[in-house]
Amino acid sequence: MIRLKRAYDQLSDQNGIRVLVDRLWPRGLRKSDAMIDLWLKEIAPTGELRKWFSHDHEKWDDFKKRYKEELDVNIEHVQKIQDIAKESDITLLYSAKDNKFNNAVVLKEYLEERLNKPFE
């Protein structure tokens, strides 16, 4: 199972492997307090795409399309997360305040699509 959670939210027994999927470390969160198993910043959207999107809901559909295109060529890191998700529950952590329009939402959708069909 793949879950989503803000990096600032409290730890839960159901988190499984906690993977931070943001390019930047969450502001104000000390690494020693974060309880993050893996920081996979390479799977986050490029800085250019992240800045372009800027959490503008009107750009959401375009952002999703562009980010999925980036993921399509980021096979090594997609495979790493996919391998973890096959073996354990996983929680994708993000720092955005918006829990519906962020890169972790797109990544979760992308991974679930990929896990339901053979990896190419």
Side-chain angles (χ1 to χ4, degrees), residues 9-94:
D9 291 345
Q10 224 173 0
L11 187 63
S12 164
D13 292 340
Q14 299 175 352
N15 285 167
I17 305 296
R18 293 167 50 91
V19 181
L20 178 62
V21 294
D22 284 346
R23 190 161 298 277
L24 305 175
W25 188 261
R27 199 175 290 167
L29 185 63
R30 292 190 342 215
K31 289 182 182 180
S32 60
D33 296 337
M35 304 297 288
I36 291 172
D37 297 303
L38 175 65
W39 180 16
L40 196 57
K41 59 185 165 189
E42 298 86 356
I43 204 158
T46 59
E48 179 180 310
L49 180 58
R50 184 179 54 80
K51 289 174 187 173
W52 170 83
F53 175 50
S54 190
H55 296 282
D56 180 348
H57 295 183
E58 292 182 17
K59 295 179 179 177
W60 179 244
D61 289 335
D62 265 351
F63 172 76
K64 283 176 57 172
K65 180 180 178 285
R66 291 178 183 190
Y67 182 35
K68 285 181 179 183
E69 288 171 356
E70 287 185 358
L71 291 169
D72 283 340
V73 296
N74 196 353
I75 300 303
E76 177 185 344
H77 296 101
V78 169
Q79 183 68 52
K80 186 170 190 164
I81 271 201
Q82 194 170 5
D83 290 346
I84 294 168
K86 285 179 183 177
E87 299 295 322
S88 172
D89 287 347
I90 188 170
T91 298
L92 303 178
L93 302 172
Y94 60 93

